[in-house]
Amino acid sequence: MDKIKFSNWPIGGKKEIELLTEVVESGKWWRMNGDKVLTFEKKFAEYHNSKYCLGVANGTLALELALAALDIQAGDEIIVPAFTFISTFSAPINCDAIPVPVDVDEDTFCIDPTAIENAITEKTKAIIPVHMAGQMCDMDAIFKISKKYNLKIIEDAAHAHGAKWRGFPPGSFSDIAIFSFQNGKIMTCGEGGALITNNKRIYEKLCLLHGVGRPLYDKGYNHLVLGTNARMNEFQAAVLLAQLERLQEMNKLREKNAKFLDSKLGEIEGIKVQKVNPKAKINTHYMYMFYFDSREFNGITRDEFVDLLNSKGIPAFVAYPVVCNTRFFKEGNFRGHIKDNSYIDVSKLKNSEKISKEVVWLPHYVLLSGQECLEAVVASIENIKKGRIEV
Ligand SMILES: *Cc1c(COP(=O)(O)O)cnc(C)c1O
């Protein structure tokens, strides 16, 4: 089989160039005198049926700002999934709060509501569900828990732009939802982030926090609260305005192609695809994820399997490590933000460990590629299984 050509990512076109040129020529490069960030915020909020949106520099800072806006204090416990990208876990630490990792569901890879409830203590203040790979978590169950124990919810929707739980987008069942527009995400401006909320007071607090403590458009030095600078600039927003126009169509295409791969890969012994909860109505498929069972593939390891796919020109990666197994966490040097790492009971994180050891993912642009690419993915996996593509 010859190497096949998958879709590029990121994808930019005339619209990005046109809007970027407008910004360059206008001489208005930051949000304080331009209108691109504001326009993008309005459109992105509307797209998610939310009242307010604030554009920021990236998704990691969005998480930190969300915690600060909800008045998270030193020593507060924040429940997070053990299987996620590092930022979900490091953001609480950078706010002097304690991330308490709980297990995810073995099949959907999303945070397990029962595990959340079991981890709640008097110090618990908030939950950060992560809509893993674009599939929304069980927001009905999480919302119920948040009401019962009076907890805040910050949705980490870094993978889930335009996703829906039943009919509801991120932000519907939470205080704040955050997004990332980092280079690999399903809409991007290289680096970027956003927060959405329906609460005016929270929105105003976010504006202060992200703009060194000053009200938006303040012309004096009215630093009202301790903040940071996390402002989005007009170039980022220009690109995002163009990206947003393509989001819905791309989400549909990914959904269609993910279904095709599900039907084909689901038949291969030794491959088990991420299960979709039928209530997660729109799944954006930031990552196409599946378990790889080495025993069904003549004992080749998961890493070798990924290398073999890569050698055929197929982009593929191994799953995130469980956060407490990363060197950063094991060394336990948190620069004084939190005390040590001894509070975590890894024996309760079995599903997360299994996923991080056995899962492989294909980036979302595989699902934006032509039918011949999808068929090549299926054929390559079948050939590896038959020993026709060797280590
Ligand atoms: C990408 C990502 C983030 C952080 O976003 P950046 O824009 O890269 O800072 C946070 N959470 C999850 C789950 C992510 O995948």
Side-chain angles (χ1 to χ4, degrees):
M1 199 182 346
D2 287 332
K3 282 205 177 174
I4 17 124
K5 183 91 180 76
F6 285 89
S7 169
N8 294 329
W9 192 262
I11 296 173
K14 280 207 186 85
K15 189 80 190 183
E16 277 86 350
I17 294 169
E18 184 189 305
L19 290 168
L20 279 169
T21 307
E22 259 179 46
V23 174
V24 174
E25 291 178 351
S26 73
K28 295 172 178 171
W29 291 6
W30 69 329
R31 74 165 302 155
M32 296 312 190
N33 56 13
D35 62 4
K36 294 283 186 282
V37 175
L38 205 59
T39 308
F40 172 69
E41 288 170 341
K42 198 159 165 284
K43 289 195 172 169
F44 198 70
E46 267 167 22
Y47 195 87
H48 293 94
N49 290 337
S50 225
K51 285 199 186 128
Y52 307 98
C53 169
L54 184 71
V56 292
N58 60 62
T60 303
L61 275 170
L63 281 166
E64 293 179 20
L65 292 163
L67 290 160
L70 297 177
D71 259 330
I72 296 307
Q73 304 284 325
D76 288 350
E77 292 180 5
I78 313 296
I79 295 178
V80 300
F83 179 68
T84 182
F85 183 65
I86 195 79
S87 302
T88 319
F89 197 89
S90 62
I93 298 180
N94 277 316
C95 298
D96 299 335
I98 300 167
V100 176
V102 304
D103 215 356
V104 297
D105 183 87
E106 184 180 3
D107 297 318
T108 65
F109 309 166
C110 285
I111 195 166
D112 174 0
T114 311
I116 294 177
E117 201 158 4
N118 290 339
I120 293 171
T121 72
E122 292 104 75
K123 289 187 179 165
T124 309
K125 290 286 153 53
I127 311 165
I128 312 184
V130 177
H131 302 315
M132 183 48 64
Q135 164 164 211
M136 284 186 66
C137 300
D138 183 342
M139 291 312 294
D140 295 326
I142 296 169
F143 184 71
K144 216 163 132 192
I145 293 170
S146 79
K147 288 294 155 221
K148 185 168 165 193
Y149 297 93
N150 190 25
L151 305 175
K152 307 285 188 197
I153 305 177
I154 299 167
E155 284 170 85
D156 183 337
H159 306 168
H161 319 63
K164 282 193 177 158
W165 172 256
R166 297 191 281 113
F168 299 95
S172 308
F173 295 97
S174 56
D175 298 278
I176 300 174
I178 75 96
F179 297 84
S180 165
F181 306 119
Q182 172 268 339
N183 200 58
K185 300 288 154 70
I186 60 173
M187 55 181 285
T188 178
C189 55
E191 299 277 9
L195 305 100
I196 59 174
T197 180
N198 283 307
N199 183 316
K200 187 166 184 217
R201 198 185 50 77
I202 292 174
Y203 168 71
E204 285 171 351
K205 186 113 185 257
L206 287 168
C207 288
L208 288 174
L209 289 164
H210 103 301
V212 287
R214 298 156 80 180
L216 262 182
Y217 311 117
D218 172 46
K219 295 227 165 59
Y221 291 97
N222 297 302
H223 305 283
L224 308 183
V225 301
L226 170 66
T228 187
N229 180 4
R231 286 187 297 255
M232 175 178 273
N233 68 45
E234 292 287 291
F235 299 104
Q236 288 168 295
V239 174
L240 291 173
L241 278 166
Q243 297 272 308
L244 185 57
E245 287 188 3
R246 288 187 211 105
L247 178 65
Q248 190 163 14
E249 190 191 318
M250 285 184 169
N251 277 348
K252 278 191 186 146
L253 181 59
R254 278 190 289 263
E255 186 87 297
K256 172 172 157 273
N257 287 337
K259 289 213 167 99
F260 174 80
L261 283 187
D262 283 352
S263 71
K264 296 291 179 188
L265 300 184
E267 286 172 7
I268 300 177
E269 208 72 48
I271 300 289
K272 199 173 110 193
V273 303
Q274 179 188 17
K275 202 162 149 191
V276 179
N277 183 328
K279 287 188 185 164
K281 276 270 182 302
I282 298 183
N283 183 335
T284 61
H285 298 285
Y286 166 57
M287 299 184 272
Y288 184 84
M289 304 178 97
F290 54 87
Y291 282 103
F292 166 77
D293 183 349
S294 163
R295 290 164 305 185
E296 293 287 343
F297 279 76
N298 313 310
I300 64 169
T301 66
R302 179 185 59 163
D303 287 8
E304 287 167 340
F305 174 73
V306 166
D307 287 345
L308 288 174
L309 289 175
N310 293 162
S311 76
K312 288 283 139 189
I314 297 169
F317 301 88
V318 300
Y320 301 131
V322 171
V323 176
C324 11
N325 290 338
T326 58
R327 178 169 146 188
F328 131 78
F329 193 76
K330 279 190 166 157
E331 284 186 350
N333 174 6
F334 305 124
R335 300 197 313 269
H337 285 296
I338 63 172
K339 236 175 42 221
D340 61 34
N341 58 11
S342 63
Y343 66 94
I344 289 179
D345 181 358
V346 185
S347 73
K348 289 187 180 151
L349 309 175
K350 290 272 184 287
N351 296 338
S352 301
E353 293 225 308
K354 182 175 156 72
I355 294 164
S356 88
K357 283 199 190 99
E358 296 178 17
V359 164
V360 171
W361 62 276
L362 312 178
H364 68 90
Y365 50 86
V366 167
L367 303 175
L368 296 176
S369 308
Q371 184 65 21
E372 71 285 3
C373 296
L374 303 175
E375 274 160 19
V377 170
V378 177
S380 296
I381 294 175
E382 282 169 345
N383 284 334
I384 293 170
K385 188 167 162 94
K386 287 177 194 148
R388 288 197 195 131
I389 302 175
E390 289 182 8
V391 186

